[in-house]
Amino acid sequence: MADPTVTGISPEKEDPKPQDDEKRKADVDSDPELFSCLLQPSPPDSDPNYIGIRRLLLYRKAQAGVLRRKTEKLGECTDTKRLEHSGAQVNLLVDASVDDGYHLQVHYPRSLRQTVGDVRSFSQALSHRTSFSSNASDIEYPRKKKVEPAYSFVGMHCIFDQCKAMVTVIKFGHMSSDLLAYGASDGSLTVCTVSMPPSIQNQLTGHTKDVTDFDFSTNNQYIASASMDKTVRVWDISKGVCMRVIYGVSPQLCIRFHPVNNNFLSVGNANKEIMVFNFSTGRTIHKSVFDSEVTAMDHDHTGQLIFCGDAQGCVYTVTMNSRTGALSRSHRHRSKAKHKSPVTTVQYRTFSLLARGPVLLTLSRDGSLSFFSVSLEVQGYLTLRCALKLAPRLHSIRASFCPLLSLEKGEYIVAGSEDANVYFYDLTRPRHTCVNKLQGHSYPVIGIAWNQGENLLASSDFGGTVIVWKRAKTN
């Protein structure tokens, strides 16, 4: 008689593998966490399958992060620890050659492997990096000895989490270190203070669709907001009421008060126009037509120039008469990218050590981060000084200049990311461009804003959470 141990046949017990497979499949199908990830709302212009699986990966990544922190106590060694957590096996590799570089490998149930494989191949296509002057990745881990001291943080100052929709734009008040406001995709505007104890001043409701942009008046008494509902609204902050509604024929995408004459309000829209309105009456003063939707804009400090970006990745310089509000197109910088992508950030700064003069920062949804020097003598002519190629964005993620108080010579940029982190980049470094990152959000980070004192950084995410980070004191 054949030995059942040798033949692999047991007369007393059947092979349990088919039953185990069915049980695992049933567990996956009934997992509420999986369905909560897959059924969350997503932007209309994105692939829902990719969105759902990406959120599932972020959910598993958060679980792996808890396990990673537990293994950090093991010290610097090269070892592989296999851990079980919520039905997923996580392999954590701690590499002693990098101070804080962790590589995570997450193994999912068999029924999800094919879908995850499709997403992985798509992510590899997106993660291809090319650059004009330097390369960077949203998952780059900065070495501890390379962290810029001026951009180290001591932790979270406060958190606002009462909003249940994506916070699309966030800003501190004009010349203010305390006043903070943010707009959301449900049409709401929230005004709050970040001084201890933090508090919410007013909830401004009236827009019926996404708040795409807003701006404070010079005295921080008013807010002008633009929305996808085709309206521009003017709000009295102290009273919490809408003073005026300006109706348009297309979604209003970006808005700015004139920095010198606050009676002028410049608005970029999806009708390929920049409209100049009289703040007091709401009447149209002037308009200028462009080649595509005007998606982002900013003024220079004199108010004589407007810099704007469109849906095709082009950046324009427009001259503006501060007395009459008349507009005139001056220069255009075309995007060299093969596939045109909307500009999500246009920010002007009066001085930079790198350019020895005024500069302009732009960010597109394809991850193109560009740094221009501005020639005020030639009506705001733009010269590309350096560029950085990040991972493409699914959302309209924004970026910002970092404060000038740096202990090292460089040009520092802070930007949100799809992986729920806030990254700091030095555009002057050819390698190891990422100098720091902040971890705390659970969803893609959309908005970024510094306060006037440059000691607080506010960031907002897709889930509606706003985190105010506190910078470490520097000598």
Side-chain angles (χ1 to χ4, degrees):
M1 181 176 179
D3 187 358
T5 305
V6 177
T7 60
I9 301 174
S10 175
E12 300 178 357
K13 191 174 181 180
E14 297 293 330
D15 186 7
K17 289 186 178 180
Q19 296 179 359
D20 292 345
D21 291 341
E22 293 178 1
K23 183 178 179 180
R24 283 196 296 267
K25 184 177 181 181
D27 291 341
V28 172
D29 295 339
S30 61
D31 185 6
E33 296 293 340
L34 171 60
F35 280 102
S36 66
C37 289
L38 294 178
L39 297 180
Q40 287 186 16
S42 59
D45 58 345
S46 60
D47 183 1
N49 295 328
Y50 171 67
I51 288 290
I53 297 302
R54 183 181 58 80
R55 287 178 187 156
L56 175 61
L57 295 176
L58 290 176
Y59 168 70
R60 297 301 188 190
K61 177 185 174 184
Q63 295 177 328
V66 175
L67 300 175
R68 183 195 70 188
R69 288 190 289 272
K70 291 182 180 179
T71 59
E72 290 182 19
K73 298 179 181 180
L74 297 177
E76 292 185 356
C77 61
T78 302
D79 193 11
T80 301
K81 302 295 182 182
R82 290 191 174 272
L83 304 169
E84 291 286 335
H85 188 70
S86 298
Q89 292 183 348
V90 183
N91 294 342
L92 181 58
L93 176 62
V94 184
D95 190 353
S97 63
V98 181
D99 293 338
D100 55 349
Y102 297 94
H103 306 278
L104 299 179
Q105 296 177 347
V106 182
H107 299 276
Y108 296 96
R110 183 178 303 175
S111 59
L112 293 178
R113 289 178 185 172
Q114 182 176 359
T115 308
V116 173
D118 296 339
V119 176
R120 184 178 297 132
S121 60
F122 178 71
S123 301
Q124 290 175 353
L126 292 181
S127 61
H128 179 67
R129 307 284 188 265
T130 56
S131 173
F132 174 78
S133 60
S134 58
N135 297 328
S137 168
D138 285 348
I139 58 173
E140 181 180 354
Y141 295 92
R143 298 172 184 261
K144 290 182 179 179
K145 62 182 181 180
K146 295 293 186 180
V147 172
E148 166 57 40
Y151 303 121
S152 59
F153 288 77
V154 295
M156 298 179 185
H157 176 72
C158 60
I159 298 177
F160 298 96
D161 60 354
Q162 86 289 345
C163 186
K164 303 305 179 184
M166 176 177 62
V167 177
T168 54
V169 56
I170 184 170
K171 292 182 181 181
F172 279 94
H174 182 70
M175 303 293 288
S176 173
S177 296
D178 179 53
L179 184 64
L180 177 69
Y182 51 91
S185 59
D186 60 0
S188 64
L189 265 170
T190 303
V191 182
C192 51
T193 58
V194 298
S195 58
M196 301 305 292
S199 62
I200 295 178
Q201 285 189 347
N202 279 306
Q203 289 273 6
L204 309 178
T205 57
H207 286 297
T208 59
K209 293 184 179 180
D210 304 40
V211 175
T212 55
D213 199 8
F214 69 86
D215 198 22
F216 285 93
S217 61
T218 302
N219 57 6
N220 291 329
Q221 185 177 355
Y222 306 103
I223 282 181
S225 59
S227 172
M228 294 294 291
D229 63 7
K230 303 180 182 180
T231 67
V232 170
R233 292 179 180 262
V234 179
W235 310 85
D236 187 310
I237 298 177
S238 59
K239 298 178 181 179
V241 297
C242 180
M243 299 172 50
R244 182 169 295 104
V245 181
I246 303 174
Y247 293 93
V249 297
S250 63
Q252 311 297 307
L253 304 179
C254 50
I255 189 168
R256 288 294 182 274
F257 275 103
H258 193 281
V260 178
N261 185 353
N262 265 195
N263 202 38
F264 289 157
L265 199 59
S266 304
V267 184
N269 58 43
N271 201 32
K272 306 178 182 180
E273 299 169 330
I274 287 183
M275 308 282 291
V276 179
F277 297 102
N278 185 301
F279 172 78
S280 302
T281 64
R283 297 181 59 182
T284 302
I285 298 175
H286 202 271
K287 72 176 182 179
S288 181
V289 181
F290 297 83
D291 300 334
S292 186
E293 301 176 357
V294 181
T295 55
M297 65 187 302
D298 199 11
H299 272 283
D300 75 328
H301 62 288
T302 66
Q304 297 179 2
L305 296 174
I306 295 178
F307 303 97
C308 61
D310 68 9
Q312 299 297 319
C314 295
V315 181
Y316 299 85
T317 303
V318 182
T319 59
M320 182 176 184
N321 190 308
S322 300
R323 291 182 299 175
T324 64
L327 301 176
S328 177
R329 281 176 50 176
S330 176
H331 305 288
R332 176 176 61 180
H333 184 277
R334 291 181 179 271
S335 172
K336 296 182 179 179
K338 182 177 181 180
H339 301 286
K340 306 303 180 183
S341 179
V343 177
T344 61
T345 297
V346 173
Q347 188 177 20
Y348 174 86
R349 175 184 265 179
T350 56
F351 180 77
S352 166
L353 291 174
L354 179 63
R356 299 294 179 180
V359 290
L360 190 74
L361 172 70
T362 66
L363 174 64
S364 301
R365 287 186 65 173
D366 63 357
S368 299
L369 192 65
S370 301
F371 181 79
F372 300 91
S373 60
V374 181
S375 176
L376 299 180
E377 296 79 9
V378 197
Q379 296 182 322
Y381 182 79
L382 301 178
T383 303
L384 183 64
R385 298 299 299 267
C386 55
L388 199 62
K389 190 60 184 290
L390 307 177
R393 271 79 170 118
L394 293 173
H395 306 91
S396 295
I397 290 180
R398 304 171 191 260
S400 174
F401 284 113
C402 285
L404 294 174
L405 302 177
S406 172
L407 299 182
E408 296 182 9
K409 187 175 181 180
E411 193 58 54
Y412 297 93
I413 306 297
V414 58
S417 175
E418 300 281 356
D419 64 0
N421 296 322
V422 179
Y423 289 91
F424 296 80
Y425 301 102
D426 182 1
L427 297 182
T428 64
R429 298 189 183 188
R431 297 183 62 186
H432 305 298
T433 309
C434 180
V435 297
N436 199 4
K437 76 172 181 177
L438 302 178
Q439 297 175 294
H441 287 279
S442 301
Y443 295 88
V445 179
I446 307 297
I448 292 290
W450 290 94
N451 70 340
Q452 173 61 24
E454 299 181 341
N455 64 316
L456 296 177
L457 172 69
S459 57
S460 63
D461 67 26
F462 183 87
T465 301
V466 171
I467 299 179
V468 181
W469 310 84
K470 188 175 182 180
R471 275 180 68 198
K473 293 183 179 180
T474 56
N475 298 325

